[in-house]
């Protein structure tokens, strides 16, 4: 039995033309594969609009959330009218969408009354974009001759109750998928599953985090023992850098699981960072392809890639960061300062993206999202109150507006000289590197620069270690 899981991101199902194009891709696939399982995102911009409606409601802006909800409704109605001829199928679909919009109004109304939105409420609202679009896409497939059914992943993916970033419980998920999805395949249907959405054991809606539809399709691929997982997006594949930052970026034809995980972790938006986890063990190949250029092969991600020695695979960036410094001569040789510092950070629930300590032990510096910076500073100051009083620690401070740039490539391992070229390129551009860290995997080097320098820095590194190598 050959099974393919195919995911379409927001832009790939974000307009009438895109939806038609995606449907044509699925029709083609159903001829080549015994079973195809589709995963869809919300129409592009809809998740943001849903979250904006919840925020407006919490802030008491009734007109704001009502207008946003009307816009979301209108966009879906117009899309449906353009996709389906007048008739029963269209009426049924319109009724389903109106029902979701009604749910959204009810949710926002209660948020408005309460004056706040909880993470749990946020997930119920955020899930509506995928729920609506799965119905739209299934109806489109059905009307164009591919018998199809929309499936809410709340029936398939079981998670913990960490709302807005839930973790799947894989054994329960596998059992649900086998029970609820396999019979549909056996009936000859092409299921259209909501990406991003999941539920707790007791059925409360959760989500897998922003961009989580990639993860959904990998989870389904694993639990169905699929032969391949294909992710359709709006660029030709995984590229050597974000094409919006580096116009000279090009598609990487092959990547290893570890390289792509490193890329996604360090900011390449093209795949959700957890996507690889479920498929690594079975070694299921993952392809990243372009909906709008379907004959282009895209990027193949598998166990091994044939990266050449010395080659850099990609450069990524993470934005909106702050660098926190804990400094003091009295820290020298005092055990436990680092442990206590990071315990204080952890109490704030902030994620530390990179750490570096100067060898003199007189300072610790690390990078966190700017949104956590104020809380983290407060928490470390509390923890170190005594040291601050005694002047063992002189200063705890943060610099905003920095970015992490990461140079990634398994071809860098055992090849001296790549970092020299990276820093040489930055030196020529007069770019100051604030901090550096090399991953223990030895195939990534991360550095911190100011946001102001970041674009120039990525372009300079790309020109030196990617463009020159290709020639
Ligand atoms: P989708 O909705 O299809 O999941 P996303 O917007 O989440 O699409 O991700 C695709 C976008 O990621 C591309 O349009 C591109 O701008 C951006 N991107 C950032 N880094 C990279 C990279 N290294 N390779 C390809 N795309 C990247
Ligand atoms: N629609 C969700 C988001 O915008 C999930 C996704 O697109 O993958 O984050
Ligand atoms: Mg995405």
């Amino acid at each position: 039995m050959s099974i393919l899981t195919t995911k379409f991101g927001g832009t790939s199902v974000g307009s009438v033309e895109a939806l038609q194009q995606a449907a044509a891709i699925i029709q083609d696939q159903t001829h080549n594969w015994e079973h195809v399982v589709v995963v869809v995102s919300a129409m592009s911009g809809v998740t943001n609009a849903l979250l904006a409606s919840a925020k407006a409601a919490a802030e008491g802006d009734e007109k704001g959330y009502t207008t946003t909800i009307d816009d979301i409704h209108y966009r879906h109605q117009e899309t449906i009218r353009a996709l389906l001829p007048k008739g029963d199928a269209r009426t049924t679909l319109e009724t389903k969408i109106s029902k979701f919009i009604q749910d959204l109004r009810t949710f926002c109304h209660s948020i408005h009354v309460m004056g706040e939105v909880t993470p749990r409420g946020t997930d119920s609202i955020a899930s509506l974009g995928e729920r609506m679009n799965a119905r739209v896409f299934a109806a489109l497939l059905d009307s164009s001759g591919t018998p199809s059914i929309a499936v809410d992943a709340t029936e398939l993916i079981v998670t913990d109750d960490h709302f807005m970033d839930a973790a799947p419980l894989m054994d329960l998920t596998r059992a649900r998928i086998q029970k609820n999805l396999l019979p549909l395949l056996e009936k000859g249907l092409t299921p259209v599953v909501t990406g991003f959405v999941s539920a707790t054991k007791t059925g409360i809606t959760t989500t897998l985090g922003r961009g989580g539809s990639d993860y959904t399709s990998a989870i389904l691929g694993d639990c169905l023992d699929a032969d391949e997982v294909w992710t359709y997006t709006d660029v030709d594949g995984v590229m050597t850098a974000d094409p919006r930052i580096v116009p000279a970026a090009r598609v990487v034809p092959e990547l290893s699981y570890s390289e792509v995980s490193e890329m996604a972790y360090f900011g390449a938006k093209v795949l959700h960072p957890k996507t690889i986890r479920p498929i690594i063990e079975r070694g299921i190949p993952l392809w990243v392809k372009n909906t709008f250029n379907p004959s282009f092969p895209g990027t193949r991600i598998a166990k091994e890639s044939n990266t050449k020695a010395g080659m850099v695979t990609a450069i990524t960036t993470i934005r909106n960061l702050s660098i926190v410094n804990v400094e003091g001569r009295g820290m020298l040789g005092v055990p436990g300062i680092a442990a206590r510092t990071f315990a204080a950070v952890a109490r704030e629930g902030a994620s530390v993206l990179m750490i570096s300590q100067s060898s003199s032990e007189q300072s610790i510096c690390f990078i966190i999202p700017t949104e956590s910076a104020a809380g983290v500073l407060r928490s470390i100051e509390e923890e170190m109150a005594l040291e601050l009083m005694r002047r063992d620690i002189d200063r705890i401070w943060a610099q905003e507006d920095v970015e992490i740039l990461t140079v990634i490539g398994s071809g860098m391992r055992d090849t001296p000289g790549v970092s020299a070229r990276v820093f040489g390129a930055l030196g020529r551009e007069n770019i100051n590197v604030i901090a550096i860290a090399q991953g223990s995997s030895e195939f990534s080097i991360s550095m911190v620069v100011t946001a102001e320098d970041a674009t120039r820095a990525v372009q300079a590194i790309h020109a030196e270690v990617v463009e020159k190598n290709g020639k």
Side-chain angles (χ1 to χ4, degrees):
M1 189 162 77
S2 68
I3 302 186
L4 173 67
T5 315
T6 298
K7 174 249 169 180
F8 292 101
T11 354
S12 301
V13 280
S15 67
V16 171
E17 297 72 31
L19 282 156
Q20 283 166 334
Q21 172 71 11
I25 288 173
I26 294 300
Q27 271 151 13
D28 209 41
Q29 288 176 347
T30 52
H31 296 133
N32 299 323
W33 299 80
E34 231 164 302
H35 299 294
V36 178
V37 175
V38 184
V39 173
V40 286
S41 290
M43 296 181 85
S44 51
V46 166
T47 310
N48 285 346
L50 289 164
L51 295 173
S53 69
K55 185 161 177 281
E59 286 166 358
D61 179 5
E62 190 172 0
K63 185 158 183 293
Y65 78 73
T66 317
T67 315
T68 307
I69 297 174
D70 290 342
D71 289 347
I72 298 171
H73 195 188
Y74 181 75
R75 182 159 166 209
H76 284 86
Q77 274 175 327
E78 287 295 292
T79 306
I80 293 167
R81 279 178 201 152
L83 286 175
L84 299 181
K86 235 179 171 171
D88 288 350
R90 182 160 114 184
T91 312
T92 312
L93 179 59
E94 279 173 336
T95 312
K96 284 181 190 161
I97 300 299
S98 299
K99 168 120 200 340
F100 286 117
I101 294 291
Q102 192 45 50
D103 288 348
L104 176 58
R105 284 189 207 284
T106 312
F107 283 138
C108 284
H109 178 70
S110 12
I111 292 171
H112 183 54
V113 173
M114 309 274 281
E116 69 165 346
V117 53
T118 58
R120 175 175 166 169
T122 304
D123 274 354
S124 295
I125 289 182
S127 73
L128 293 172
E130 271 73 9
R131 289 189 207 253
M132 291 192 282
N133 217 17
R135 268 78 186 172
V136 172
F137 197 62
L140 172 62
L141 284 180
D142 224 31
S143 77
S144 39
T146 304
S148 178
I149 182 168
V151 181
D152 278 326
T154 46
E155 308 295 320
L156 305 175
I157 299 181
V158 187
T159 66
D160 62 11
D161 62 357
H162 198 299
F163 294 102
M164 298 167 77
D165 186 23
L169 307 171
M170 286 308 283
D171 289 342
L172 291 172
T173 298
R174 180 159 298 134
R176 287 269 175 98
I177 288 177
Q178 305 263 332
K179 178 166 165 265
N180 294 335
L181 208 53
L182 274 182
L184 302 177
L185 297 181
E186 276 151 17
K187 275 192 204 152
L189 294 167
T190 298
V192 177
V193 180
T194 55
F196 176 55
V197 180
S198 43
T200 63
K201 259 186 253 181
T202 52
I204 299 160
T205 301
T206 52
T207 64
L208 302 172
R210 292 305 305 269
S213 299
D214 302 314
Y215 193 23
T216 305
S217 79
I219 294 169
L220 296 184
D222 171 29
C223 295
L224 289 166
D225 208 0
D227 297 82
E228 295 194 356
V229 173
W230 291 11
T231 294
Y232 277 90
T233 184
D234 54 6
V235 286
D236 274 341
V238 179
M239 307 183 75
T240 50
D242 185 336
R244 291 166 301 186
I245 301 177
V246 182
R250 52 176 183 246
V251 175
V252 186
E254 264 182 44
L255 279 167
S256 68
Y257 291 133
S258 355
E259 283 172 317
V260 95
S261 306
E262 203 92 338
M263 281 184 72
Y265 176 80
F266 283 112
K269 192 191 170 207
V270 64
L271 280 180
H272 184 278
K274 292 183 192 157
T275 309
I276 298 303
R277 287 189 199 176
I279 57 174
I280 271 191
E281 211 166 293
R282 281 172 211 266
I284 304 172
L286 168 71
W287 287 84
V288 179
K289 289 168 179 276
N290 189 347
T291 307
F292 308 101
N293 187 14
S295 59
F296 189 83
T299 300
R300 181 177 192 271
I301 300 158
K303 272 207 175 90
E304 305 288 342
S305 72
N306 59 359
T307 319
K308 291 191 202 78
M311 285 282 275
V312 165
T313 307
I315 302 145
T316 59
T317 50
I318 313 182
R319 292 199 166 132
N320 303 323
L321 303 177
S322 288
I323 182 163
V324 178
N325 294 276
V326 180
E327 292 173 355
R329 253 167 283 183
M331 285 163 62
L332 190 76
V334 180
I337 294 267
R340 283 171 52 209
T341 303
F342 290 112
V345 178
R347 279 199 293 278
E348 273 298 303
S351 55
V352 176
L353 293 149
M354 185 179 138
I355 304 173
S356 90
Q357 180 175 24
S358 65
S359 54
S360 67
E361 286 191 45
Q362 288 180 12
S363 78
I364 300 173
C365 88
F366 56 91
I367 315 294
I368 53 171
T370 295
E371 62 196 24
S372 323
V376 163
L377 286 184
R378 216 177 312 116
S379 176
I380 305 175
E381 275 162 9
E382 268 169 37
E383 174 66 40
M384 300 296 174
L386 197 61
E387 283 77 6
L388 281 164
M389 204 177 69
R390 285 197 204 131
R391 292 290 168 87
D392 286 341
I393 291 177
D394 301 320
R395 218 151 73 103
I396 300 169
W397 60 286
Q399 177 181 350
E400 283 189 5
D401 293 327
V402 298
E403 298 191 12
I404 297 181
L405 312 189
T406 305
V407 179
I408 296 154
S410 50
M412 279 159 58
R413 203 170 2 202
D414 309 321
T415 311
V418 176
S419 28
R421 287 172 63 195
V422 167
F423 293 111
L426 294 178
R428 282 193 297 281
E429 282 289 319
N430 240 333
I431 290 166
N432 179 37
V433 178
I434 305 169
I436 301 170
Q438 177 166 31
S440 56
S441 61
E442 272 190 56
F443 62 79
S444 75
I445 311 168
S446 294
M447 59 219 105
V448 179
V449 299
T450 62
E452 203 187 338
D453 285 341
T455 300
R456 240 170 2 107
V458 179
Q459 289 170 349
I461 299 172
H462 192 270
E464 174 63 38
V465 294
V466 176
E467 290 162 51
K468 272 194 193 164
N469 266 354
K471 286 189 184 133

